[in-house]
Amino acid sequence: MKARRRDRQVYTASHPVLFRLLSRTASRPVRRLGSRVVVNGYDEARHVLTKVPLDRTDARTTGGAIRKHEGEGALFDESGEAHRASRRSLAERLDHRGVLELKRHYRPPIDDAVDLLRAGHEVDVCEVADAVAGRTVDALLDLGLTPSQSTDLARAARRTASAAAAAELPSVPGRRRPPYRDHLAETFGGRVDPLGKMLALAAVTTTYAAVPRAVAWVADEGWWDLCRDETLLPVLVDELLRVLAPTPLLPRVPAGPAVVGGVAVSPDDQLVLVVRHAVEAHRRDPSVDDPAPRAQSALVFGAGPHACPGAALARAQLADVLGALALQPSRVVRAVPDRHAALPAWRELRIAR
């Protein structure tokens, strides 16, 4: 597919060595590479997330990396009652009513993009994604920012996430690790606490990674008619998020001895869950006629008690973007990969009617 060929560029441009290394392991559900255990199978990845006790503060995990740079209390590094308390707090802001309230804040830049297309102008979907994410975070954290400031917040969050990504990604030969720099703190000082910062980083990076890539896929395959169908659009959104797998791998560390897919692991090992392979994003194209099982596509948001609490918001935002842009069917006129993004993404994705 033309869309798959284009989308592959976001991997080969930003993390070419890591992409090739992980691709070579995809043929087996679980594969040991020294002290790293690469988990590609759906059943095996879900088993790790739901059955294997995990050390959420180890520096080789997402939670440990966030704790190192942002401090304690950022959800990813929590467990037990602290984790449940944080999720309860988030659930109140990200349930159905919360998403409807957030839509009031993030919808204007989407409508502005449609107006620009209608007037014959080009639209950079990456800029739209920044505006949507920035206004969402501003509303979630009640920061009271102007539209311009909320976009600045999104860009600062992306730069911070890019700097922190080196601590999360497995090291590979030839990869240089730039020094960490907290652009978000430099821009907004102490206005964002650790949990708020985690929300900002997660919301901004996933929106920036998913929305432009999804728009490119729909434009390349001419699926705008599907986006105008209220019945098919939710199915397409799930399928696009499955294939895009905005967070393509999850680093985890077992808290004790365990067995994953027949391979014995211990706290000395790092588990690299390749979500992209587990949901078959690398070989099964999105389809509204034959979609993947819902449980499999949902794995892009994790599983079990630590599944992403923002899944409903992510689906709603992508559906809103695609449904609105479908009013002015467009094609991609320029696509530039982001070579420094924390997650595989476009730096510029311009569309025109």
Side-chain angles (χ1 to χ4, degrees), residues 129-148:
D130 273 343
V132 167
R135 295 193 189 194
T136 300
V137 172
D138 175 37
L140 271 173
L141 303 185
D142 195 23
L143 297 176
L145 304 178
T146 65
S148 176

Side-chain angles (χ1 to χ4, degrees), residues 47-56 253-258 267 271:
H47 175 74
V48 170
L49 294 173
T50 60
K51 302 295 184 182
V52 176
L54 300 173
D55 182 348
R56 304 187 64 79
V253 171
L271 302 173

Side-chain angles (χ1 to χ4, degrees), residues 305-346:
H306 295 283
C308 175
L313 174 61
R315 293 187 179 103
Q317 288 183 331
L318 183 54
D320 284 340
V321 170
L322 294 178
L325 294 182
L327 300 176
Q328 299 294 324
S330 305
R331 70 187 191 284
V332 176
V333 296
R334 178 174 169 81
V336 181
D338 193 328
R339 299 180 182 276
H340 304 290
L343 301 174
W346 296 109

